[in-house]
Amino acid sequence: MMHAVVVRSYDKGPVYEKVEEPQPQGPHEAVVEVLAAGLHHYVRAQADGSHYTSKDSSGLPLIPGIDGVGRLADGKMVYFVAPDTSFGTMAEKTVIDLRRSVPLPEGADAVRIAATMNPAMSAWVALRRRIHFEQGQKVLVLGATGSSGQMAVQIAKLMGASEVIAAGRDQERLESLRARGADVLVSLAGDIGEAAARLGEAAAEVDVVIDYLWGKPAELAMVPMLMKRSDRSRSLTWIQIGSVAGASAAIPSAALRSANFQLLGSGQGSVTAAGYLAEFPALIEAILDGKLQVHAVTCPLSKAEEVWSAPSSAEQRIVFVPGLDSGANVKFIWSR
Ligand SMILES: NC(=O)c1ccc[n+]([C@@H]2O[C@H](COP(=O)([O-])OP(=O)(O)OC[C@H]3O[C@@H](n4cnc5c(N)ncnc54)[C@H](OP(=O)(O)O)[C@@H]3O)[C@@H](O)[C@H]2O)c1
């Protein structure tokens, strides 16, 4: 037996309990000792049944967790994405599909990787797999104050954006994005229509929008941005990634007719598993080279119930480290 975090009902939070150790089923499967697993947005949504990939309660019980850093029986460290089963990564051990894992250098900072991969992957994959992003292009990150948005600012800059405009509500976090590469800041605080007008003034010339908000902020910003554009025949690509401000947005038909405007999404389903996997090594290298700053907070798995019921923070990324429960010698650092 071993400890894991288990969801038995979508209405109640997960519980920390003992479960049977998982067994590999096929030639591509292997058991890993979980070294670090991040509590991402997706994982919270998975645990309360609200994620778009969630099944009804017939999918319960489940162990949440979608990715992590683990150690194989031969001692090698890997970053892995959990298979599509109900046995996730918030456990002392889990089964991985070796085809969905990549090797890590020995001594790699497991916490940094577990904290960064998911929030960073959205912008990284969107810019590398969903569009043909070119150096020198201008980018607006809508929802830049969230943990994925903060990564998107850094990634756009890393990929050669000539200007990154960061838009978000939290003033302090917005200001902090200057040090992470944002050239222009647009506050989304206060009246949403006024915020849309500010975007029209500041972001009319961007080539790409990386949108974590959707809902009214996206809906209201599109027309002012397109109408203020100096050349509406120049392409503007809006990449829909998250929907923290609303699952739907009414797109004015004129937006699609009167400008060279493309709207597409990026996420699980619009990019193949092989597409994601192909991006892992370069992203891991950027993380280990310290090119992406993250604020990760480590937590023993036994504290999962407490952590889950506390409000989530875009400032920090919680990383469960099962080794902390057994008092093992875990000496990962957290970095900003
Ligand atoms: N498709 C993918 O591949 C992918 C990958 C990762 C994440 N996502 C999605 O991206 C979204 C953001 O994820 P995250 O990890 O960055 O979340 P997060 O760290 O919790 O940040 C969410 C941020 O959204 C902002 N926000 C919430 N409601 C808002 C509103 N009405 N108007 C303006 N800002 C609002 C808040 O900013 P303030 O603090 O400034 O208020 C908050 O910091 C989620 O929907 C997530 O599921 C998608």
Side-chain angles (χ1 to χ4, degrees), residues 41 118-119 122 145-149 168-170 173 188 212-213 217 241-245 266-268 276 312-314 317:
H41 237 286
N118 173 265
S122 61
T145 45
S147 37
S148 302
R169 291 187 306 193
D170 185 279
R173 229 172 302 127
L188 300 182
Y212 292 98
L213 301 181
I241 295 189
S243 51
V244 284
S266 184
Q268 217 186 340
Y276 274 99
S312 63
S313 154
R317 182 65 40 147

Side-chain angles (χ1 to χ4, degrees), residues 127 131-140 161-163 165 203-210 225 229 234-239 260-262:
L127 294 181
I131 64 170
H132 180 66
F133 184 69
E134 287 171 18
Q135 291 213 350
Q137 290 191 315
K138 296 182 180 177
V139 176
L140 164 66
S162 61
E163 184 172 83
I165 301 172
E205 303 301 340
V206 298
D207 302 286
V208 176
V209 178
I210 304 177
M225 280 175 57
R229 211 161 167 76
R234 196 163 60 80
S235 160
L236 170 58
T237 306
W238 194 292
I239 316 177
N260 184 356
F261 180 55
Q262 286 96 39

